Amino acid sequence: MRPTAEKTQGEDITMSEVTGAKALFLALEAVGVEHIFGIPGGAILPAYDPLIDSTVKHILCRHEQGAAHAADGYAQASGKVGVCMATSGPGATNLITGLASSFMDSIPVVAITGQVPRPAMGYDAFQESDITGIAGPVTKHTFLVMEPDDIAQTIAEAFHIASTGRPGPVLVDIPKDVLQAKFTYKPAGPVDLPGYQPTTKPNQRQIVEAAKLISQSERPILYAGGGIIKAGASAELVQLAEMTGIPVVTTLMARGVMPDTHELCLGMPGMHGNYTAVTALQRSDLLIGIGPRFDDRVTGKLSAFAPDAKIIHADIDPAEISKNRKADVPIVGDAKAVLVELIKVIESRRGKDPQPDYSAWRDTVNGWKKAYPYKYTQTEDGPLKPQYVVERIAALTEGKAIYCAGVGQHQMWGSQFIPFQRPRTWINSGGSGAMGFGVPAAMGAKVAMPDDEVWCIDGDGCFQMTCQELATMAVEKIPVKIAIINNAYLGMVRQWQELFYDERYSEVEFGWDIPDYVKLAEAYGCIGLRVENMQDVDTAIEKARGVNDRPVVIDFRCDKGEMCYPMVAAGSSNDDIILGPEYEREPVAHEQGDHLYGDDEEHGA
Ligand SMILES: Cc1ncc(C[n+]2csc(CCOP(=O)(O)OP(=O)(O)O)c2C)c(N)n1
């Protein structure tokens, strides 16, 4: 499209005649965007000019992967849509790891990318890439905006698609000349997408079927997935659990959906979940799945998963239902609507349905809880244990912070040893497992929730993938706390090599010393601390908590050989859960919860 009129520089641009770039920001403001994470470049450059006059605050990242993870962390912490922006070609492709992570975890993100000018498209122009083609498989939807008139409506649609139904990332690619073109601006009209009509209201007949199955079951488990967080349905989950007395497991993506301290909460199932949650799923006769994916990290060997259980599976995405395990009662709908309806129907059928007594089942489950907690041994003079560090962070922050993680052993210890109390406080890359997620996600979370304390529990490997965002946070005064669980190894890989490759350690050792994390933190304008023994852990955590004008990085030099247990080996049945050496070594020094919330008992073994 040709510009409709030329204006001399400095002259006011009226609302009726704007550039595509200006229209982009008017549209972003109209959908309520407050923050964008991004990096400029040639093709997106026109958009960086109206940004100066916009109410939207841009956070200049150091890597587009960081921008994408930051948008994800922003969205996970706040429930709003996270936004990232990049230039064409390498800028856009650097977003892909982040978008793939958001896609796997169903996180609402909108990515805006510049494209080479329309006449250059398809000619291998400098920094051209077919980003809508590349991003297609890892996004919920992509748009290529070929006319400036379409910008406002496309942005409105992109935000609608990202945040409704099963949330997910949406990419909007805009050629440079479309951003530059002047045209008569028209705000977006109502979003009307006939081909996109997510079913949010569950079918009543299926709800009744579910209520009947629940009333007939003897060993039911509520299998709570990330869908409950997205639907804001924590209260309804707790209500259903309490009115029925059914125990609850919360997947990695649903941690915090029910307080871990609740007597009906069994915590996390899965490859590194606790014995009780894993075994309760395995022995149950009814799984009431609300918004989970039945993913392989939870089910273990699928054919051996919960062999006696009937399945109720509720999800907003019909494609998820019966994908991995056939559902006896499939329910398509929003998790909140499903829970509300289920509660109503169970109540209304009180006189008609049998009233099962699950107390024997609860006793069994509670027996496991008592007998098989997470265990580790921290001695006074022995190496610092990662679990101890995580437990102390949880205790000193009273479980009230927002906790982010990278991917690996530290992530699993974080999910095991932090007693989560509320939703949106455990932020990680669950489905994709993208190393490098933690630091930028923590940045995004803190920008979204500035009044919350934000901790990133990171691995030394993960940290090195995106630690350049320390510079972003130092400049922008985003005071997150980063605890590096520095075990000098790619620990999770090392663990697999120890267990499954006869201790043949191939390319997993990083060493403790390079880089010097304290100096690195300082070089990036942050505070760096080092802790090498258990006696100094609390002091460092408290010191970090007292800093509010810049990030703090703590290099916790932890036991290099610590393993993460329990463990269900990949491809094994959940029946073959390995409890780990602590269960062969008695007496055990510490059990989960021994010293939570300021309890300062002796820590020696
Ligand atoms: C981008 C990416 N590359 C590789 C992997 C494979 N991987 C999973 S965990 C892990 C080790 C992580 O090491 P570290 O960050 O030090 O954490 P630790 O397991 O030691 O706690 C690796 C390499 C991955 N998940 N993501």
Side-chain angles (χ1 to χ4, degrees), residues 280-302:
L281 285 184
Q282 209 53 8
R283 299 277 165 274
S284 84
D285 65 352
L286 177 66
L287 292 188
I288 309 155
I290 313 283
R293 294 191 297 128
F294 287 73
D295 81 309
D296 58 288
R297 283 294 193 263
V298 168
T299 62
K301 188 178 171 191
L302 194 56

Side-chain angles (χ1 to χ4, degrees), residues 65 97 407-411 413 432-436 458-463 465 485 487 489-493 510:
Q65 183 184 348
T97 300
V407 171
Q409 290 177 313
H410 62 280
Q411 174 193 25
W413 285 316
S432 160
M435 285 174 73
D458 217 355
D460 47 313
C462 290
F463 177 79
M465 288 202 177
I485 305 298
N487 56 5
Y489 277 92
L490 294 167
M492 190 58 100
V493 183
F510 277 175

